[in-house]
Amino acid sequence: MRHAFPMNLVLQTLRPPTRTAREHLLEQLRAALLSGQVVAGEPMPSTRALATAMKVSRGTVVAVYEELAGEGYVVCVPCSGTFVADDLPAESSPPLHRPTRTSEEKASPTADRSSAVINLSPGGPSTSFQTNHDWVVAWRNAVKRDLPSVPPPFTGDPELRALIADHLRAARGVQCDADDIVVNAGTSDGLGLLLLGLRDDGPAGARIATENPGYPTARRVITRFGATPVPIAVKNGGMDPDELARTPGPFSAVLLTPSHQYPLGGRLPVAARLAMLAWGQRTGAVIIEDDYDSEFRHGSPSLPAIASLDNDRRVVLMGSFSKTLTPWLRCGFLVIPDPELRSRVIDVRATLGQPVSGLVQTALAEFLRGGGLRRHLTRVGRAYAHRRSLVIAATADLAPRIRLDGIEGGLHATLSWEDGRTAEDTVAFLAERGVEVASLGAYYHGAAPPERQGIVFGYGAPTDLELRAALQEIRIALQRQGN
């Protein structure tokens, strides 16, 4: 049965058995908002009226409105109601072209780009964390505590480290405790600590095997600390263990993103993970596992972390709250089971000081202890899965000429091709049309050109409306490949 609501909103009240009440209402409202039934700025039905008409709880309607607000469909105004977003397009509307900047605006370092550019830079998480109720409560409780008269411990707040260990045991199967964990200011800070602690004589001259293509910032950090990144080709979802074994040593460490290879998005098979452990045991090298977005899997179960398979205390797990929560927290952690390496890293941390605010660490501990992290991951995981479906739908008819990769998990995807315009040309074309993406070639190490041209883009941070508009522009750009 279809039911007419105030402001001529027509929804299907009969729920399919395969959908929960929340999923059904969310799908119905998305379709109604995009179909042109309503116009920008109009009020949505009250939560009580909509709950009664749809025969769901008011809490379900509130949760759906909050999710729609995070996706950019509506705006929730306290004490006033929920309103249709001002920039809501209809499905039949032409592509949304963001205004391009003038040459003067491009040259100005203070030009405000927020209204002109849809930023699909890879790796950005959803901005909905800023309204997370659990975090607001955790922060409020943290600031009520008496502030210690001494700086935070060099290894991090003991309660936070214990809660991180609990989370890793439950979510990633990693057997660790609070003493194994060193809190840091994110991936680059953690990698720098490891480089300084890997050897008694420091990182100068150390050789670190890195994925190719791989994370360019990590290569820059390695170089900045006086070590040498050695590129090893990615094959079948991750670094090729056979090529690594053939590459002359010695190596101090290998840096991997095995759960969601960055940027191609594959998963390192279990056999290859075991081969990496065997290689590390033979060579004495440390295996650095960057587990940057393993919490987000879309339709496939997570493979065990390499650290969970390690019986030789050779794997260091590197994690961060930048992708799961927000990069503005600047907080991450290292799990270092080897006591000798951990002691050297702690000595370095003691020399440099603990960069993460004690207040932030206390709030994060409150957030984890109260279940806020678990609820947040569930909530944003649904949003990311939905945006992933938008990416798949928008690019499906471009195959097989354009290949979509990296979509099994995480917050980014790649689109690549063999023949046609260069990635740099496509990136520049999209920039002129107000969409910011990255070139796949920027992730390769060395002068050799990549096997395929391509672009890398994130879908976690933009709203649904922004992502739809950006995907329209990406389709236009990629259709030019055939010209």
Side-chain angles (χ1 to χ4, degrees):
M1 177 185 297
R2 296 182 69 81
H3 189 92
F5 295 88
M7 63 178 224
N8 298 322
L9 189 63
V10 179
L11 304 178
Q12 174 64 260
T13 57
L14 184 62
R15 174 168 60 89
T18 57
R19 291 283 188 272
T20 66
R22 187 202 64 79
E23 291 170 340
H24 176 64
L25 179 58
L26 187 60
E27 290 174 357
Q28 288 291 302
L29 288 176
R30 281 195 192 115
L33 289 166
L34 287 173
S35 66
Q37 291 187 38
V38 291
V39 297
E42 283 194 335
M44 297 289 289
S46 72
T47 56
R48 196 177 303 280
L50 188 55
T52 300
M54 294 294 288
K55 297 180 175 59
V56 299
S57 71
R58 185 165 174 262
T60 297
V61 179
V62 170
V64 167
Y65 275 1
E66 289 177 348
E67 191 157 346
L68 288 172
E71 295 171 356
Y73 289 93
V74 300
V75 177
C76 298
V77 181
C79 303
S80 296
T82 303
F83 300 85
V84 181
D86 288 338
D87 56 352
L88 180 75
E91 284 186 331
S92 57
S93 299
L96 296 181
H97 300 317
R98 296 281 172 148
T100 57
R101 294 173 291 156
T102 64
S103 58
E104 290 80 6
E105 290 174 322
K106 290 178 182 178
S108 172
T110 59
D112 181 7
R113 302 175 62 197
S114 60
S115 62
V117 174
I118 303 177
N119 190 339
L120 299 190
S121 297
S126 168
T127 57
S128 65
F129 185 69
Q130 62 188 336
T131 60
N132 187 292
H133 174 72
D134 289 314
W135 174 251
V136 172
V137 172
W139 184 261
R140 190 176 298 148
N141 291 338
V143 298
K144 288 179 180 178
R145 293 191 184 185
D146 293 334
L147 294 179
S149 59
V150 295
F154 297 129
T155 55
D157 176 67
E159 183 184 13
L160 175 59
R161 290 187 286 117
L163 288 164
I164 291 173
D166 290 343
H167 172 71
L168 292 174
R169 285 194 297 268
R172 302 296 291 131
V174 178
Q175 296 305 311
C176 61
D177 56 39
D179 290 339
D180 297 327
I181 292 174
V182 178
V183 173
N184 57 60
T187 301
S188 294
D189 181 52
L191 182 56
L193 281 179
L194 276 176
L195 291 168
L196 290 170
L198 276 175
R199 304 191 311 187
D200 291 327
D201 58 351
R207 301 171 78 244
I208 313 296
T210 57
E211 296 168 335
N212 194 29
Y215 190 34
T217 299
R219 293 197 300 266
R220 289 194 291 270
V221 170
I222 291 169
T223 302
R224 177 69 67 178
F225 277 86
T228 302
V230 180
I232 307 294
V234 168
K235 179 181 179 182
N236 297 329
M239 182 182 288
D240 184 357
D242 294 331
E243 179 172 332
L244 177 61
R246 291 192 299 266
T247 304
F251 287 98
S252 296
V254 57
L255 176 61
L256 305 171
T257 55
S259 295
H260 190 223
Q261 201 279 327
Y262 194 77
L264 298 181
R267 296 194 297 171
L268 192 67
V270 172
R273 295 172 186 234
L274 295 173
M276 289 292 179
L277 286 171
W279 173 85
Q281 192 170 28
R282 288 195 310 271
T283 62
V286 173
I287 297 172
I288 306 171
E289 180 176 12
D290 186 355
D291 210 38
Y292 70 101
D293 67 359
S294 63
E295 290 88 352
F296 305 120
R297 302 300 309 172
H298 309 307
S300 59
S302 297
L303 289 175
I306 296 180
S308 70
L309 306 173
D310 177 29
N311 296 319
D312 198 34
R313 296 182 174 181
R314 190 159 301 282
V315 178
V316 174
L317 184 71
M318 187 162 59
S320 172
F321 294 106
S322 292
K323 299 293 187 296
T324 52
L325 301 179
T326 169
W328 279 76
L329 286 179
R330 303 308 303 157
C331 187
F333 54 88
L334 297 171
V335 182
I336 312 175
D338 177 27
E340 182 180 350
L341 175 58
R342 186 170 65 248
S343 176
R344 292 200 297 268
V345 167
I346 293 174
D347 284 345
V348 173
R349 180 84 290 166
T351 301
L352 299 177
Q354 173 55 256
V356 184
S357 161
L359 200 56
V360 167
Q361 294 187 51
T362 302
L364 274 173
E366 292 270 357
F367 187 65
L368 268 68
R369 187 178 60 253
L373 177 62
R374 182 181 65 255
R375 288 188 288 272
H376 175 75
L377 292 177
T378 299
R379 189 180 305 115
V380 297
R382 290 194 299 260
Y384 295 151
H386 170 65
R387 291 172 195 170
R388 168 185 180 264
S389 70
L390 297 181
V391 172
I392 294 173
T395 59
D397 64 342
L398 298 176
R401 185 173 54 85
I402 305 294
R403 192 173 78 194
L404 176 65
D405 290 303
I407 206 72
E408 295 82 8
L411 311 177
H412 77 274
T414 65
L415 289 164
S416 65
W417 57 91
E418 290 184 350
D419 301 312
R421 300 176 186 268
T422 66
E424 288 70 22
D425 175 78
T426 302
V427 169
F429 176 83
L430 287 169
E432 287 299 316
R433 298 174 73 90
V435 178
E436 186 172 334
V437 299
S439 167
L440 179 59
Y443 295 85
Y444 281 83
H445 186 178
E451 294 180 1
R452 299 174 64 88
Q453 295 291 318
I455 60 173
V456 185
F457 62 96
Y459 55 83
T463 66
D464 273 24
L465 302 182
E466 290 174 329
L467 183 59
R468 287 175 184 271
L471 288 171
Q472 289 176 328
E473 299 293 357
I474 288 174
R475 284 180 55 82
I476 293 171
L478 295 182
Q479 285 166 351
R480 294 169 69 239
Q481 301 296 338
N483 296 338

